[in-house]
Structure formats: C-alpha cells, structure tokens
Amino acid sequence: MQINVVDQDYYARHGVPHEQLRWLRDNVPVFWHEGDAELGWPGFWAVTKHEDVVHVSRHSDLFSSARRLSLFNELPEEEQALQRMMMLNQDPPEHTRRRSLVNRGFTPRVISLLEEHIRDICHRLVDEVEGKSDVDFVTDISAPLPLYVICELLGAPVEDRDKIFEWSNRLIGAEDPDYATTPEEGQAAAAGVYAYAGSLAAARREDPRDDIVTRLIQPNERGEVLTEDEFNLFVLLLIVAGNETTRNAATGGMLTFFQHPEQWARLVADRAMARTAADEIVRWVSPVNLFRRTATADTEIRGQKIAEGDKVVIFYASANRDADIFADPDVFDIGRDPNPQIGFGGGGAHFCLGNHLAKLELRVLFEVLSERFPKISQAGEASRLRSNFINGIKSLPVHLG
C-alpha cells in the first residue's frame, strides 16, 4: 500500500485516511514516512497505536515539544520565537509552571458553573435559526457556540466574536484556499489577538470581575503571576484551541449522526445519552489529528530504533480507532462506556487544559439539538478543511425538520 497520511488534498476531499492508518497499525505501527522537499518538511516517524501515542505523550523528557516545536509544518526562523513562548511548544519544567498558573480558570468546579449559561447560549442559537430555510451548521451553530463561551470566559463583549472567529481562521487555516493567508496576514492576526488580550488585561486591572482574565492576572497562592507576554499568548492559544476543537468536534459529530441515523434516534429517545455521546464524538472525529515531537536521545518504540533529533508524529485519529483498545472501533456507538479516547491528548504534560469545557459544550449542545430539532437532516455536501492538523469542516448545510 502506498502511504501518505499527511496529504492535505486527501483530507480536504475525504477526511482522515483511516484505511492507511489501519494498515499501519496492523503492519508497521512505527513507520518511517518520507518527507517532501518541495513542501519543505522532512521525513518522520508516524506513531499510530494507542499505547504508543500515550507513551510518547507521557514522556516529554524523551519526546520534546520545544526542541523543534509541536506543529507539523516547519516554520521560518523568524516565526519560531513567538511560538516558543506558547505552552503548546514548551516542555517541563517551564510548561508545568505556566500550566499551573493557567489551570486556575479551568478546574472541573469552575467549568461546571458554566453549564446553565452554555445551555442558554445553545437555546439562543437555535432560536436564531428556527424557521430559516437555509441553515449552515458551522456558521449558524457550531462556530458561534465556542465563540460565545470564549467571550464569556474572557469577559469580552459578545459582539467581538466575529473578529475572534476571523483571527482563528487566519491562524489555523493557512493551507486552505478559502482561508489562505500570506505569512504577513497570519502574523497580523496573531498581533491582533495579542493586542486584544493586552487590552482585556488592562481593563480588568482597572475593573476586576468574576472572569478568567481577572483570575489569571492576579498572583496565585505562592505569589507567582503570569507575565504580560505569557497572558497574551495564553489568550492566543485559547482563541485558537478553544474555538477550533469544539467547533469541529460539534460539526463532525452532527455529520456522523447524519451518517448513523440509528444513533441519532437513540439520542432523541434518551437525551441523557449525550453524556457518553460527547466522548464518542471526540473519539470518532478526533478534531486534532496529530502533533509533532522531537526525540531528545536515541530511543526505541516497539523495538524500532529512533535517533536523537528525529521527528516523531503522533496520530490521535489513528489511536482512537485501535482495535486493541476499543471493541468494534469502526462502529459509532454513543453509549460506548468505558471510552478511553485520547482526542484531547494521551496524557502527560500536554493533556488538553480545556477538555472538561469542550465535553460540556458538546453534551449540552446535543441535548438541546435533539430536543429542539429531532428531525434535523443533512441538506448538502459537507466542505472539509484542507488541513492534516485539524479535522475540520467549513460548511455543513442542514434542514431543521
């Protein structure tokens, strides 16, 4: 079998190359994948089994996010300085220090307090589309939801959601023709978020409120505080990660329900199933497909020797279909329990800080949709994002029924 599990055109046409990934899991679970000199990226080790993705994730000492950054594509040197300041591209102990300061705003207790507000947002969104003949699930429902929630978290005006959405698209969709930007435009989007975060922090210093910005600009119990740059870069990461993952998990989940109508019927009959459905949607969709690590020393995975400096890419979408971990992995089952999906990471230092919030948003959204629009149906082809990093859907026309 010819293997290319990072072909962005394939992702745009079909989504994740599950057949190739299944073959790799069964035959060469740690596979040397040739690079592409024309596209400017070197060869890498593709790690596709659940156990191995967890191993790499939990050993930051051997598999670094900082040494050559964690995103798949190589970045120009001038863009790396800013990236290296982000938690995504740091290793312990610096990552641990930064995460402990930020985590105050994302504990399960803090997130649980948002449930009714998120439910109100979901009802408001469906109120706005009820009765419309042409509805796009992305632009009308799944994209506004996390943007409203992010605005709530930051204490930002809801009217700012459109520019936050635009910044996010510019930062994450550079390889897609609909969002394609020059490096200068991408830098301008990052600068816009950076300045926006600074203005929010300044406003909360003058007028503290009960929001995450106020919490994060204050010292913790040990007197430690985020620097201005650290806070601004956290907001940049929140706007991208908090928007993209939830938006694409929700849209991918809705498309999957259209493809598996018997599962939608189960949810409509028993909305309490939305709790387990949220994890199954994340497993099935795997909104973040991959991350890169760099070997810090000669090591082995499954007996395969990996040299210091080698690029190691972990595929969450593959790990989430591993038959050694999941019974009937190619069956979408909203009642699956237990469900050790690793769509939010394989544990370790970089396990997703916002996983509780993302699952809460998905659960509440599908509770509301199954209540309000039990006969929702697909009205046209889904348009996929041209990206091997984010399993994204740009457009999904629906009939509300």
Side-chain angles (χ1 to χ4, degrees), residues 78-370:
E78 61 272 14
E79 294 184 35
Q80 292 191 22
L82 181 66
Q83 292 283 339
R84 289 184 186 283
M85 295 174 66
M86 300 181 71
M87 286 195 301
L88 198 64
N89 297 306
Q90 293 180 330
D91 295 327
E94 177 58 23
H95 177 275
T96 306
R97 183 194 73 84
R98 184 89 61 86
R99 185 182 177 103
S100 69
L101 290 169
V102 169
N103 192 52
R104 291 173 289 168
F106 290 90
T107 64
R109 185 190 67 80
V110 170
I111 296 304
S112 67
L113 298 175
L114 292 171
E115 177 168 349
E116 288 312 307
H117 188 79
I118 291 173
R119 193 173 304 279
D120 289 343
I121 290 172
C122 291
H123 277 290
R124 193 184 323 151
L125 287 170
V126 300
D127 285 343
E128 290 173 358
V129 297
E130 197 166 26
K132 289 176 64 174
S133 57
D134 296 314
V135 176
D136 186 285
F137 191 84
V138 178
T139 57
D140 291 322
I141 297 174
S142 67
L145 171 60
L147 293 172
Y148 275 116
V149 175
I150 288 169
C151 286
E152 173 69 16
L153 280 171
L154 296 175
V158 171
E159 56 266 24
D160 288 348
R161 69 185 187 275
D162 289 338
K163 64 182 177 184
I164 291 174
F165 180 63
E166 177 68 16
W167 283 329
S168 178
N169 284 336
R170 293 295 182 188
L171 289 165
I172 209 73
E175 303 300 326
D176 188 279
D178 289 339
Y179 300 140
T181 58
T182 64
E184 292 74 21
E185 288 172 321
Q187 291 169 17
V193 175
Y194 197 87
Y196 184 76
S199 67
L200 284 174
R204 291 302 171 271
R205 290 188 185 98
E206 291 292 324
D207 178 22
R209 298 183 186 177
D210 184 19
D211 59 32
I212 192 172
V213 175
T214 301
R215 289 190 195 97
L216 295 185
I217 62 175
Q218 295 173 342
N220 66 6
E221 64 277 3
R222 295 184 299 276
E224 301 169 325
V225 67
L226 291 168
T227 67
E228 183 177 347
D229 283 336
E230 288 173 338
F231 174 78
N232 293 351
L233 288 167
F234 164 71
V235 173
L236 177 64
L237 183 60
L238 175 65
I239 283 176
V240 174
N243 171 24
E244 292 292 335
T245 52
T246 305
R247 180 210 319 191
N248 290 303
T251 309
M254 192 72 259
L255 179 61
T256 305
F257 275 122
F258 292 147
Q259 296 164 342
H260 299 83
E262 77 289 351
Q263 297 299 309
W264 180 250
R266 289 178 75 189
L267 181 60
V268 169
D270 181 5
R271 290 194 295 276
M273 295 198 74
R275 191 171 296 275
T276 50
D279 271 310
E280 182 69 346
I281 287 168
V282 173
R283 182 189 78 87
W284 190 265
V285 175
S286 294
V288 175
N289 183 47
L290 57 81
F291 267 120
R292 172 174 81 173
R293 302 290 183 255
T294 302
T296 61
D298 293 349
T299 187
E300 293 185 6
I301 303 176
R302 288 187 186 267
Q304 175 61 61
K305 295 184 183 302
I306 295 172
E308 178 184 358
D310 279 358
K311 181 177 178 178
V312 177
V313 178
I314 46 179
F315 285 82
Y316 302 116
S318 176
N320 277 334
R321 301 286 181 100
D322 190 340
D324 287 347
I325 303 297
F326 302 97
D328 299 319
D330 296 317
V331 172
F332 179 63
D333 175 9
I334 64 170
R336 188 182 295 273
D337 187 25
N339 190 340
Q341 56 86 9
I342 53 174
F344 295 115
H350 288 277
F351 186 71
C352 176
L353 194 66
N355 74 95
H356 297 295
L357 177 60
K359 287 199 286 188
L360 177 61
E361 290 179 72
L362 289 172
R363 173 172 66 81
V364 173
L365 174 63
F366 282 100
E367 285 174 356
V368 171
L369 287 172
S370 59

Side-chain angles (χ1 to χ4, degrees), residues 39-57:
L39 294 177
W41 47 267
F44 61 92
W45 294 105
V47 177
T48 53
K49 294 283 288 181
H50 189 285
E51 179 183 356
D52 302 332
V53 172
V54 169
H55 171 74
V56 171
S57 301

